[in-house]
Amino acid sequence: MDFKLICDVARAMAPNIYAGQLRQYRNDIAAKLQAINLAEHNLEKYKYTPLADIFDGKYAFDISHFQEQIHEFAYYGVKPETVNGHYLDYDFISERHGYYLGSIGTASVRKRFRPVVRKYLGKVADADDFPAVLSLAASVTGMFVYVAPNVVAAKPLVITNYYDVKKPSLAITNNLIVLGENSRAEVIVRNIAKNSPPILSNVLTETVIGKNANLDIVHITQGSSHKKSKMVFTDSYLQEENSVLTHTNLTAGGSLIRRNIETRLGRNCDTRLMGLTLAAETDHIDNHTFIDHAMPSATSNQLYKSIVCNNAVSVFNGRIRVCEDAQNTAAYQLSKNMLLHDEAKCYAKPQLEIHADDVKCSHGATVGQMDRDALFYLQSRGIDVRTAQSLILSGFVGECIKHVYNLTTKEMINEIIENFMTKHVRNM
Amino acid sequence: MLNIKDLHVRVEGKNILNGVSLEVQAGEVHAIMGPNGSGKSTLASTLAGNPKFEITQGSILFKEKNLLDLSPEKRANAGLFLSFQYPVEIPGVSMPAFMRMALNERRNYLDEKPLNATDFMKLMKEKAKIVEIDPALINRPVNEGFSGGEKKRNEIFQMALLEPDLAILDETDSGLDIDALRIVSEGVNKLRSKDNALLVITHYQRLLEYIVPDFVHVLYQGKIVKSGGKELALELEEKGYDWLKN
């Protein structure tokens, strides 16, 4: 792909996405992007999902059907925040339930938000990692979410991103979420991609969780099964002292989905990363977490599970770094995977780098089939095979979504899981 | 109730049962004893329908029906119950949800109305008393984190809920301390009636002091080599199995 061209087109399409100094920043990072050689970039990190394969093929920015689609969604009673990577409420910042929500371009020129955008944009993500660099250099739109200090958001903020294109399309966005000190928020992000034509999306979301703040975020992603559809997400967090992050990530299908989840922990922080991957047919779903224990006395817990059917592939790479100063760290990681068909594959890889000595760390990974003894046990009590299988699978996945407190979201997740099982688990 | 004729069973290419015949009538208690590896658990699992066990010859009638035609769940619905030697842990599957489902399948088979959640919880509490199982345990996921003894109590607790016609207890005594053994045995005795039957598999005579059998059979090398009354168990306790092996 021609990344110079992509940067130029993005700049032409969205000349005002960043204002003032940030324009210069964008030019600099665009130069950095063009200098990256994908065939050699971060090979270990992208071992099972090579960047050169993801960013390959013909895709172009497309906004031609934008208005028409907005009407379509209105007709179905859905109000998405973005369509094909374009933020709908482009020119204003609205306040709802304690959140300021607007485009990053608008925020960068508003007096109140400008300092925040300048301070954090491009500073939270790993600005040497290609997908992050791509979003910073060539995004066309992005969302800005702000929760003021000491505010407890009244309701969850639900962000729906739809992808439904008319020709092979590119969607590049970068979002910024900032939670002020002592604030508390719950965010639910739904990503839904229609099956055809293919979409290549690259989304960077940088999030700052201020001192003593608490963020509960749930990502629900239903990818496209079109062979050439690819979705790359980078969720980067900066956690200030005493902050708490709970990140739940449900990915149900998608021909290629790669998600990087990275957080840098301040003193006394707490992080929970919960993941559930449901993969079938030829899906390829790769989750890569990185917990950077940079400061002392922080705790992290990771639980990632997957159910893999047919020829699908599930990847979990969990990296934990405990820096020299990060004494009194506790970092736990567990990955459990169930393969339901002979050709299904799973790669589970812990990656621990420990430089401090007063540390509690553990990691574990299991890959197996459905427990035949458990199945027989349930059957022997009078429960038919199908119901028994679905009980075992529900039991297996339940733990991953235990931090989803919002009932509507929980119901939605359960429905997605149930649909997946009905569709793919029947032919075991 | 149960009529086994010339049963031959193979597991992973190895013949384990070589012609077992056994008849159990309603109201009877039969004990099956025998040295390790004689095929006792194979017999229990085969009756419950574990697909690992391949029947190469013979027939089993359960309440006049051909048992071998029925899937494990249909056997359970029809009133057959296996108390597992090694009860399985099923993470995340809650006991009440699972048992209500199981019981309602059984009730459906018996043309009885399904129990709603409230009535079921009442019944569960009542039945928990029979084996003195901690009510906190039965609200947990199936067997998860249970001790060996708790798992065995949980088996009999499930038996109490399902009220089977024929219960097969596969080494229910193993892993139980003396007090637990007494409580569980008394629980089993409370469930006995003239309409149901028990098949008790055990290594030790001790269990049979509590659950007194009408018949004792010795299984050796996949065959019943001796049958007798309850005094046979005492004789085995005293002499071991060697005198029967020839």
Side-chain angles (χ1 to χ4, degrees), chain B residues 178-227:
Chain B
I178 299 167
D179 291 333
L181 178 68
R182 181 181 48 78
I183 293 162
V184 167
S185 307
E186 281 169 3
V188 171
N189 285 333
K190 280 179 208 159
L191 300 171
R192 284 175 64 176
S193 80
K194 63 176 181 20
D195 300 321
N196 60 29
L198 276 178
L199 194 58
V200 181
I201 291 170
T202 181
H203 273 291
Y204 304 107
Q205 131 78 12
R206 204 173 54 201
L207 175 70
L208 304 179
E209 283 172 13
Y210 294 105
I211 305 172
V212 182
D214 302 300
F215 301 94
V216 174
H217 310 276
V218 179
L219 196 64
Y220 177 63
Q221 290 187 343
K223 275 187 173 171
I224 290 177
V225 293
K226 188 155 182 75
S227 296

Side-chain angles (χ1 to χ4, degrees), chain A residues 3 13-14 20 23 26 41 76 94 103 112 116 138 151 172 216 225 233 261 282 284 327 336 343 376 378 412-413 417:
Chain A
F3 296 110
M13 282 175 72
R23 269 198 202 129
R26 189 168 224 208
H41 179 78
Y76 290 113
S94 62
S103 80
R112 180 170 181 191
V116 177
V151 167
I172 301 176
D216 229 321
S225 63
F233 299 93
I261 301 146
T282 56
H284 178 107
Q327 299 297 359
K336 287 185 167 184
E343 302 300 318
F376 175 62
L378 294 178
M412 185 198 293
I413 289 178
I417 294 171

Side-chain angles (χ1 to χ4, degrees), chain B residues 22-139:
Chain B
L22 180 68
E23 225 184 302
V24 179
Q25 307 295 344
E28 293 178 351
V29 176
H30 288 244
I32 298 194
M33 303 183 76
N36 290 324
S38 58
K40 301 186 299 293
S41 286
T42 297
L43 178 62
S45 296
T46 304
L47 289 171
N50 190 328
K52 274 188 209 158
F53 299 85
E54 185 197 344
I55 292 129
T56 50
Q57 202 180 310
S59 68
I60 309 172
L61 290 181
F62 174 58
K63 300 203 298 186
E64 315 305 319
K65 278 198 208 83
N66 182 0
L67 194 71
L68 303 180
D69 284 348
L70 303 177
S71 61
E73 57 268 31
K74 291 277 178 277
R75 296 180 193 197
N77 298 157
L80 189 137
F81 180 89
L82 170 63
S83 166
F84 281 62
Q85 185 181 0
Y86 303 109
V88 187
E89 296 191 17
I90 311 177
V93 175
S94 93
M95 263 303 282
F98 154 53
M99 279 318 291
R100 184 154 84 96
M101 225 179 245
L103 180 60
N104 282 338
E105 288 294 338
R106 171 103 171 105
R107 291 175 70 92
N108 181 38
Y109 177 89
L110 297 171
D111 280 329
E112 290 170 18
K113 276 190 187 157
L115 281 188
N116 63 33
T118 322
D119 291 343
F120 177 75
M121 289 313 279
K122 264 188 218 151
L123 182 71
M124 220 164 114
K125 274 186 196 141
E126 195 183 297
K127 300 288 185 181
K129 286 183 199 144
I130 294 182
V131 284
E132 297 177 25
I133 191 167
D134 181 355
L137 277 183
I138 53 183
N139 284 307

Side-chain angles (χ1 to χ4, degrees), chain A residues 217-237:
Chain A
I217 188 160
V218 182
H219 286 270
I220 303 169
T221 304
Q222 292 164 281
S224 156
S225 63
H226 190 286
K227 296 258 183 304
K228 287 185 175 159
S229 269
K230 306 158 194 180
M231 301 177 101
V232 181
F233 299 93
T234 304
D235 304 339
S236 298
Y237 292 88

Side-chain angles (χ1 to χ4, degrees), chain A residues 336-406:
Chain A
K336 287 185 167 184
N337 307 278
M338 216 190 265
L339 305 179
L340 297 187
H341 294 104
D342 289 349
E343 302 300 318
K345 278 198 188 72
C346 170
Y347 300 94
K349 193 172 100 198
Q351 191 184 341
L352 277 66
E353 300 158 31
I354 300 169
H355 304 284
D357 44 29
D358 183 10
V359 167
K360 273 187 253 172
C361 272
S362 71
H363 63 86
T366 62
V367 181
Q369 290 157 292
M370 186 180 287
D371 184 349
R372 297 277 151 191
D373 292 334
L375 196 61
F376 175 62
Y377 188 81
L378 294 178
Q379 278 182 275
S380 80
R381 296 297 180 249
I383 293 168
D384 69 273
V385 181
R386 284 279 302 140
T387 312
Q389 285 172 343
S390 116
L391 267 178
I392 292 171
L393 291 175
S394 307
F396 178 72
V397 305
E399 213 185 340
C400 307
I401 53 171
K402 69 178 174 193
H403 293 303
V404 179
Y405 303 110
N406 181 272

Side-chain angles (χ1 to χ4, degrees), chain B residues 141-193:
Chain B
V142 182
N143 292 322
E144 202 178 36
F146 286 30
S147 72
E150 285 164 348
K151 283 180 183 169
K152 292 300 176 72
R153 273 184 206 225
N154 191 20
E155 293 295 287
I156 304 307
F157 164 65
Q158 293 175 37
M159 173 181 160
L161 273 169
L162 295 173
E163 299 181 333
D165 300 318
L166 173 68
I168 304 153
L169 310 186
D170 189 1
E171 295 196 23
T172 298
D173 49 343
S174 69
L176 290 180
D177 60 40
I178 299 167
D179 291 333
L181 178 68
R182 181 181 48 78
I183 293 162
V184 167
S185 307
E186 281 169 3
V188 171
N189 285 333
K190 280 179 208 159
L191 300 171
R192 284 175 64 176
S193 80

